[in-house]
Amino acid sequence: LRASCAQAPPRFQRSQLPLRPTLVASLQQLQARPFSSIGKIIGKVTGTDEDGQNKTQHKMFKEQITKLLDGNVLTLAEWGKELDESMNSWRMMIPGAKDSAEAKRIEVFRRILAVMSDEEKAKGAALLKEPQTMNAIGETANEEPQEVKLLIQRYEMLAQYQVWLKARKAEGKKLPRNTDEMTALAQKDMQTKHMKKMRARHRRF
């Protein structure tokens, strides 16, 4: 979602480890994704003060955490339903909410998902390896292929986030309360995982 090796030559410092960016980068971009930015939309169009916006965003973040933890493995079809719900919620009834950049992005994603077949949705992130399919989907939806790619990338990020959250819960570990805490925990998890791999590799030699 993400010390040095004891007596193991060569000695690696944590800052030197080449961390894979997949999960950490994905979690760091959550604030840029429409599913987690609705709280910002509300604050902008209602003139809510910073404290009010923070409370709204905290509530939205908590709702997202709960849905991902309690739900089944996220699919493109299920994410599409979540986007539909977000745009049809009372929050979007606030004058000006649907005119925001975040809301318009969600509408683009909804148009793309609306023309995708069940088979295409079932492929999920694997569609990133099928540029021709993404181009065809974009043409049918009257959207640029890059928008289709962005949709799939953001879905992939959310799916990775769900796997990470469920793993932490199963292990009885602390769950993030906000995006900053989430990024810090993900970074720590990735560093720990990498250190274990490095130790295992050195034991073989």
Side-chain angles (χ1 to χ4, degrees):
L1 67 327
R2 345 144 264 11
S4 61
C5 297
Q7 306 302 319
R11 186 179 294 271
F12 288 87
Q13 297 297 325
R14 176 173 295 184
S15 61
Q16 296 175 314
L17 296 177
L19 297 178
R20 294 194 308 171
T22 51
L23 179 58
V24 174
S26 297
L27 298 180
Q28 288 175 330
Q29 295 181 55
L30 277 176
Q31 290 180 330
R33 286 193 278 105
F35 194 70
S36 60
S37 61
I38 297 175
K40 293 183 179 180
I41 298 174
I42 299 170
K44 289 177 182 177
V45 302
T46 60
T48 306
D49 59 23
E50 184 175 350
D51 183 59
Q53 289 186 45
N54 287 339
K55 289 180 179 178
T56 300
Q57 291 173 36
H58 177 76
K59 181 178 180 181
M60 294 296 298
F61 184 84
K62 187 175 181 180
E63 289 176 359
Q64 181 180 357
I65 290 282
T66 301
K67 286 183 179 180
L68 292 177
L69 284 173
D70 296 343
N72 296 323
V73 175
L74 189 68
T75 64
L76 268 174
E78 287 300 318
W79 191 43
K81 293 178 182 178
E82 295 287 353
L83 294 180
D84 289 341
E85 289 179 8
S86 70
M87 290 305 292
N88 292 322
S89 70
W90 65 267
R91 297 179 177 93
M92 289 296 103
M93 298 300 106
I94 300 173
K98 291 188 177 181
D99 295 328
S100 68
E102 290 89 348
K104 289 179 180 178
R105 174 67 65 187
I106 295 177
E107 290 293 6
V108 170
F109 286 172
R110 292 176 71 197
R111 286 195 293 271
I112 294 172
L113 287 165
V115 304
M116 292 177 66
S117 67
D118 291 340
E119 181 180 358
E120 289 168 339
K121 291 178 182 177
K123 290 182 179 180
L127 283 173
L128 291 172
K129 299 179 180 180
E130 300 182 20
Q132 292 184 337
T133 301
M134 290 193 292
N135 289 343
I137 293 172
E139 184 176 351
T140 303
N142 198 28
E143 298 290 348
E144 292 295 327
Q146 186 61 29
E147 295 293 344
V148 181
K149 183 177 181 179
L150 182 60
L151 165 68
I152 306 302
Q153 288 175 331
R154 291 188 175 178
Y155 156 74
E156 182 181 31
M157 284 188 259
L158 194 57
Q160 290 177 340
Y161 178 32
Q162 183 186 47
V163 171
W164 176 71
L165 276 174
K166 284 181 176 291
R168 287 192 68 87
K169 182 179 180 180
E171 295 169 6
K173 294 182 178 179
K174 177 182 178 181
L175 296 176
R177 294 168 295 181
N178 52 58
T179 51
D180 289 338
E181 191 168 277
M182 173 186 62
T183 302
L185 289 174
Q187 181 76 32
K188 182 178 179 180
D189 283 357
M190 289 297 288
Q191 289 173 334
T192 299
K193 183 178 180 180
H194 189 82
M195 287 296 296
K196 289 180 179 179
K197 287 184 177 180
M198 293 299 297
R199 291 192 184 103
R201 182 179 302 173
H202 286 299
R203 290 194 196 103
R204 291 198 298 267
F205 294 98

